[in-house]
Amino acid sequence: MQKFYFITLLTLISFACEKNVNEAIPTTTSNASSDQTIREIPIEKALIVAAVDQLRIRREPSLDGVVLTELSEGDSLYYLNAYTVKTTALRLRDQDMNRPWLKVETNDGKIGWTYGGGVDFR
């Protein structure tokens, strides 16, 4: 009888572990309008801070994307755990950067994309 319980317990643990591993694997989608592949990680949103003045939040993850709003340096916003696989080379804060675009939400509920080099994770 103990063998039965032990085997049942191992089976349940293996199913639980498999489910958790599969949930932690990022999903990939393609955005044809901006030619960007987007990775989404299924975790809670994270608080980040604008590291530059006039940080632009855009509709698409591209320099050509329509600007939805601009934030001041030090303003907080939320990273929504999605980013582009393709990076963009820019010069920001007197530094050459090559970062992905991050999906974000502003404090007033606007959801869009911003350049990863323009924010700091807290």
Side-chain angles (χ1 to χ4, degrees), residues 18 22-23 28 44 50 56 68 74-75 83-85 87 89 94 97 104 110:
E18 181 180 339
N22 288 338
E23 287 176 355
T28 303
E44 300 273 334
R56 294 183 179 109
L68 301 174
D75 285 351
Y83 62 94
T84 60
V85 173
T87 58
D94 295 325
M97 297 185 175
V104 296
K110 291 180 182 160

Side-chain angles (χ1 to χ4, degrees), residues 13-70:
I13 290 172
S14 73
F15 281 122
C17 290
E18 181 180 339
K19 183 177 187 273
N20 289 339
V21 167
N22 288 338
E23 287 176 355
I25 298 171
T27 58
T28 303
T29 58
S30 182
N31 185 344
S33 64
S34 65
D35 193 32
Q36 292 279 10
T37 300
I38 299 165
R39 304 274 316 218
E40 295 181 2
I41 303 170
I43 58 175
E44 300 273 334
K45 59 186 177 181
L47 185 65
I48 58 176
V49 176
V52 296
D53 201 30
Q54 297 178 332
L55 178 71
R56 294 183 179 109
I57 309 302
R58 298 178 182 271
R59 184 171 291 145
E60 296 88 21
S62 164
L63 290 172
D64 298 328
V66 174
V67 176
L68 301 174
T69 190
E70 289 185 359

Side-chain angles (χ1 to χ4, degrees), residues 51-52 91-95 97 99 116-120:
V52 296
R91 185 162 182 83
L92 263 179
R93 297 180 280 183
D94 295 325
Q95 293 181 332
M97 297 185 175
R99 304 283 166 78
V119 298
D120 287 329

Side-chain angles (χ1 to χ4, degrees), residues 76-115:
S76 62
L77 63 159
Y78 293 97
Y79 169 56
L80 298 179
N81 304 308
Y83 62 94
T84 60
V85 173
K86 184 178 176 185
T87 58
T88 301
L90 283 180
R91 185 162 182 83
L92 263 179
R93 297 180 280 183
D94 295 325
Q95 293 181 332
D96 291 325
M97 297 185 175
N98 196 8
R99 304 283 166 78
W101 290 83
L102 309 176
K103 189 172 186 179
V104 296
E105 179 180 357
T106 63
N107 287 328
D108 61 356
K110 291 180 182 160
I111 295 177
W113 295 86
T114 194
Y115 185 66

